[in-house]
Amino acid sequence: MRLVLLGAPGSGKGTQAARLKEYLDVPHISTGDLLRAEVAAGSPLGLQAKEVMARGDLVSDEILLGMLRDRFSRDDTRNGFILDGYPRNLAQAAALDQLLADLGQKFDAAVQLTVDNEQIIERLAGRAKAEGRADDSPESVRHRLNVYDQQTAPVIEFYRQHGQLTVVDGVGSLDDVFTRIVEAIAPEKAVG
Ligand code: AP5
């Protein structure tokens, strides 16, 4: 199964991708995690990305595509993947289509998790306290939500128009959201 998880910051993409990875037995590719690993390692790419990420802006399309190409060159993505955090603008959506075409692959579904902004702000304020992620400050969260509305929302529309979008309510317990996703993408595998 090849899945693209879409949704605003804090909508639960990473949380659900970690569960789907076990369930579908495919790798979870989070561009945010890949970038944070570069930042933590202090690599040249990480140094370039650090400030951009802390502000809540998007890192350059070129860097992201390079990272993604590199990740998709590994054998473990051959039988499927869960892509979390990419694409985030229309140029990235086109680049993903091209990358998958080059690999002779197509994704099965783009799943959008919907959560209202009030809950998102509450969730990310909770994570800011618990984990201190640099971009979970109130200012960065506000900015990330604006960037999402301006640059990523058109990607949702793009997939809707191409008949590839599945919308899932992202509010509720982790188990409930997980069950909704599985029922939407792989009903034959859903339990209960
Ligand atoms: P990224 O790491 O992708 O961050 P994000 O999209 O802002 O997503 P989050 O990790 O904040 O939220 P999520 O939807 O994964 O929710 P989560 O499960 O964590 O990107 C970070 C930055 O990297 C970007 O701002 C950008 O700078 C850069 N970047 C990344 N990809 C890029 C790209 N393609 N192009 C350019 N730049 C890129 O959950 C959030 C919180 O809510 C957690 O505390 C969780 O426990 C809680 N939670 C989850 N589900 C529930 C639930 N059902 N009920 C209650 N709480 C819940």
Side-chain angles (χ1 to χ4, degrees):
M1 169 89 47
R2 299 183 177 93
L3 271 191
V4 173
L5 277 190
L6 302 165
S11 57
K13 302 180 297 294
T15 303
Q16 294 300 332
R19 297 175 149 224
L20 288 163
K21 167 192 154 127
E22 300 303 325
Y23 187 74
L24 299 170
D25 194 23
V26 294
H28 167 202
I29 303 175
S30 156
T31 49
D33 286 349
L34 291 174
L35 286 166
R36 279 184 288 275
E38 296 286 345
V39 171
S43 70
L45 192 160
L47 292 175
Q48 242 180 298
K50 188 175 178 181
E51 292 302 317
V52 179
M53 291 173 75
R55 288 200 297 273
D57 278 319
L58 296 186
V59 176
S60 83
D61 290 348
E62 201 187 349
I63 288 183
L64 264 293
L65 185 58
M67 262 178 28
L68 212 57
R69 266 190 208 292
D70 190 46
R71 184 61 188 85
F72 273 99
S73 71
R74 284 167 51 186
D75 279 351
D76 66 341
T77 58
R78 235 177 245 168
N79 295 323
F81 54 79
I82 300 154
L83 190 51
D84 154 19
Y86 192 100
R88 271 175 134 97
N89 59 32
L90 288 172
Q92 292 186 6
L96 177 63
D97 273 357
Q98 187 57 55
L99 176 60
L100 292 178
D102 291 347
L103 295 168
Q105 296 183 5
K106 246 180 163 183
F107 67 80
D108 298 295
V111 176
Q112 178 197 9
L113 292 177
T114 57
V115 178
D116 58 71
N117 279 6
E118 211 175 301
Q119 284 225 29
I120 281 175
I121 289 166
E122 206 176 294
R123 285 183 188 183
L124 296 183
R127 189 171 65 186
K129 277 197 195 126
E131 295 174 26
R133 205 172 109 171
D135 58 351
D136 280 342
S137 66
E139 311 78 64
S140 290
V141 169
R142 261 197 307 276
H143 188 61
R144 283 158 66 197
L145 288 170
N146 281 337
V147 169
Y148 179 80
D149 285 343
Q150 285 164 19
Q151 303 200 45
T152 311
V155 173
I156 306 273
E157 217 29 60
F158 174 85
Y159 287 137
R160 192 192 311 278
Q161 282 171 12
H162 286 77
Q164 292 167 297
L165 185 70
T166 300
V167 180
V168 171
D169 180 2
V171 178
S173 72
L174 303 190
D175 285 346
D176 284 350
V177 176
F178 178 72
T179 302
R180 283 179 210 139
I181 298 173
V182 170
E183 282 175 354
I185 57 164
E188 71 286 356
K189 286 194 80 182
V191 181

